[in-house]
Amino acid sequence: MHADVACDLPMLYHRTEDHYFAATCSLHRRHNACINAYLTDEALDPFNLLFIRVGSGPMGDAVAAMLDVIRGTTLDIRVVIHEEKVEGLRDVLTELGFQAAEVTTAMVLEQSHLVPPTSDSAVQISLTQHLDDWAAPLGNAFSMLPEGLARYQARHERALEAGEALYHFTLSSEGQVRSSLTLSMCDGEARLNDVGTLMDSRGRGYATQLIQAALRHATSLGAERCFLEASTQGLPLYRTLRFTRLFDYQSFVRGPLAAPSSEGHFDLPAILES
């Protein structure tokens, strides 16, 4: 079923975002419509990451709960904050040892504005549930260590086994997988994640062709819009494909801390599940 078209685009964006991260993370806590926390790999230190996203809605009392979770864990933490909320949270995060990191851009494409597909008979595009090939370009493109990549692949495999609406695409040329991405569907809205191309295969239009194929598949599933979160480096490509900006996110990061005494230290999985 499609979401009500009267819903604003940022709200739809956050809905697809939450669906994707909840599907691919070990634990998820929805503090409110604005603040969501995700634990990537429960009890798999050092690969577990507390990942918090602050959206465009009212933060309310959930801010206090979010800060309690942050203060109660020694885990590596990334907080991704909507541009309008940054100034209200910057000082307290700095006091807690966070540093500003990258800026990313939330974008949307109306499927009716799809760029005509690029045709190249020398490439093969596949939709697969066998994720070894899908993972290889991601590991290379994002400089992921082998064990971290294996954990990330396992998270996606668990999501597929759970019946989540994730679709994994690969593009191959000359017998080698060159590019891959993930399409997710939530209430009739599409989202792209994990767009990666081998470093030595960039500049050949592979990502463009793969994204166009995924967008056509989304249309076949009834999607009228597609959302994504773009890095600064990815913006030119997505603009060429007619994605438009919704808002920016600012990330803040804090590395893992030395373990404190048990007094006052929370059981993070229990908090996220509460």
Side-chain angles (χ1 to χ4, degrees), residues 10-216:
M11 188 186 76
L12 292 176
Y13 175 92
H14 295 309
R15 187 179 298 172
T16 65
E17 170 187 80
D18 181 49
H19 167 260
Y20 173 77
F21 288 113
T24 57
C25 290
S26 174
L27 293 174
H28 167 223
R29 179 175 180 182
R30 187 176 191 268
H31 290 284
N32 65 9
C34 178
I35 301 177
N36 287 270
Y38 312 90
L39 188 65
T40 58
D41 284 300
E42 182 183 355
L44 289 174
D45 185 66
F47 298 101
N48 45 4
L49 168 72
L50 176 59
F51 187 47
I52 299 172
R53 300 186 76 90
V54 180
S56 55
M59 293 189 292
D61 294 339
V63 163
M66 177 189 78
L67 294 175
D68 282 345
V69 170
I70 289 172
R71 293 186 180 104
T73 181
T74 61
L75 290 178
D76 190 3
I77 306 177
R78 176 174 293 269
V79 183
V80 182
I81 305 174
H82 188 285
E83 59 188 0
E84 295 178 355
K85 305 295 197 303
V86 171
E87 290 309 310
L89 292 171
R90 185 190 301 274
D91 288 347
V92 67
L93 290 177
T94 300
E95 291 173 0
L96 290 170
F98 284 81
Q99 295 184 335
E102 73 272 18
V103 173
T104 53
T105 301
M107 307 188 81
V108 63
L109 169 74
E110 298 292 337
Q111 295 285 81
S112 60
H113 297 166
L114 278 175
V115 174
T118 303
S119 178
D120 185 350
S121 60
V123 304
Q124 298 80 47
I125 294 175
S126 302
L127 173 60
T128 181
Q129 291 194 347
H130 302 287
L131 301 191
D132 288 346
D133 288 344
W134 165 85
L138 299 184
N140 181 269
F142 299 107
S143 301
M144 299 173 71
L145 295 175
E147 191 168 358
L149 178 61
R151 297 292 188 192
Y152 191 64
Q153 178 178 336
R155 286 162 49 193
H156 278 255
E157 289 169 346
R158 289 194 297 269
L160 290 179
E161 291 169 0
E164 298 289 351
L166 302 184
Y167 305 87
H168 298 83
F169 286 82
T170 60
L171 179 147
S172 302
S173 175
E174 299 177 342
Q176 182 179 9
V177 177
R178 308 280 182 174
S179 188
S180 59
L181 62 75
T182 306
L183 168 73
S184 58
M185 295 292 298
C186 174
D187 296 332
E189 306 291 341
R191 178 182 176 90
L192 295 181
N193 278 89
D194 308 314
V195 181
T197 299
L198 296 176
M199 291 184 183
D200 63 4
S201 297
R202 293 175 179 175
R204 305 181 193 179
Y206 292 148
T208 296
Q209 294 178 73
L210 188 58
I211 291 169
Q212 289 173 328
L215 292 173
R216 292 196 298 274

Side-chain angles (χ1 to χ4, degrees), residues 201-244:
S201 297
R202 293 175 179 175
R204 305 181 193 179
Y206 292 148
T208 296
Q209 294 178 73
L210 188 58
I211 291 169
Q212 289 173 328
L215 292 173
R216 292 196 298 274
H217 187 73
T219 298
S220 75
L221 296 174
E224 296 180 359
R225 285 169 292 267
C226 184
F227 299 91
L228 59 80
E229 184 177 352
S231 66
T232 301
Q233 294 82 0
L235 279 174
L237 167 62
Y238 298 126
R239 286 171 176 154
T240 299
L241 290 167
R242 300 180 183 172
F243 281 83
T244 59

